[in-house]
Amino acid sequence: YYGDTIDPSGAISPTELYAQMEGKDTMEVMMSATINETCPKKGCWMTLDMGNGEEMRVRFKDYGFFVPTDGVGGKKATIQGIAFTDTVSVDYLKHYAEDANASEEEIAAITDPEIRINFEATGVVIE
């Protein structure tokens, strides 16, 4: 457990999240998905596989807790908190790429902001 202790039994799937977010900007929710990656520097974010070729970035409320920096890719995570539609700026996308040790060419190729569902977690369970 990281952050608040949560009971993962009521978590929804990424598909259910997309359906429930339709027409909403924010929603309090608990969801389970597979971890793709965590911030290798301090564990201050993670990305989850949304099952449709997309990822969702998860940050942690007020940087109040962090997750492991390695060894959790491919594991199931249940997150509780606020899902929200967000425009992620080019600067933030480049910052995240730097955190993930992307090459200078990969970072330079980031030229457009992205609109997607992101998440601010108050609690995380990694199985």
Side-chain angles (χ1 to χ4, degrees):
Y1 292 92
Y2 304 90
D4 293 345
T5 302
I6 60 174
D7 175 5
S9 62
I12 64 173
S13 70
T15 302
E16 292 170 303
L17 176 67
Y18 281 122
Q20 291 182 24
M21 281 289 294
E22 185 112 4
K24 297 178 185 172
D25 289 332
T26 63
M27 184 174 84
E28 189 168 340
V29 67
M30 182 171 24
M31 184 193 81
S32 292
T34 302
I35 299 170
N36 283 342
E37 179 181 26
T38 61
C39 173
K41 290 189 177 185
K42 34 178 191 178
C44 58
W45 54 260
M46 68 180 171
T47 57
L48 299 180
D49 181 356
M50 296 301 282
N52 58 359
E54 293 184 21
E55 289 185 325
M56 180 173 68
R57 183 165 307 274
V58 180
R59 294 178 297 220
F60 310 112
K61 185 167 178 69
D62 300 326
Y63 283 102
F65 62 97
F66 303 109
V67 295
T69 57
D70 61 7
V72 294
K75 292 186 178 183
K76 180 180 172 185
T78 300
I79 56 176
Q80 183 169 330
I82 304 291
F84 59 98
T85 303
D86 192 23
T87 300
V88 183
S89 72
V90 171
D91 287 342
Y92 263 111
L93 292 170
K94 287 184 176 194
H95 172 77
Y96 293 141
E98 288 170 4
D99 280 355
N101 298 318
S103 70
E104 288 185 29
E105 293 80 22
E106 290 171 310
I107 294 168
I110 299 170
T111 58
D112 295 314
E114 294 180 1
I115 298 173
R116 58 179 148 169
I117 296 174
N118 284 322
F119 204 95
E120 183 180 70
T122 55
V124 175
V125 176
I126 298 176
E127 295 182 14

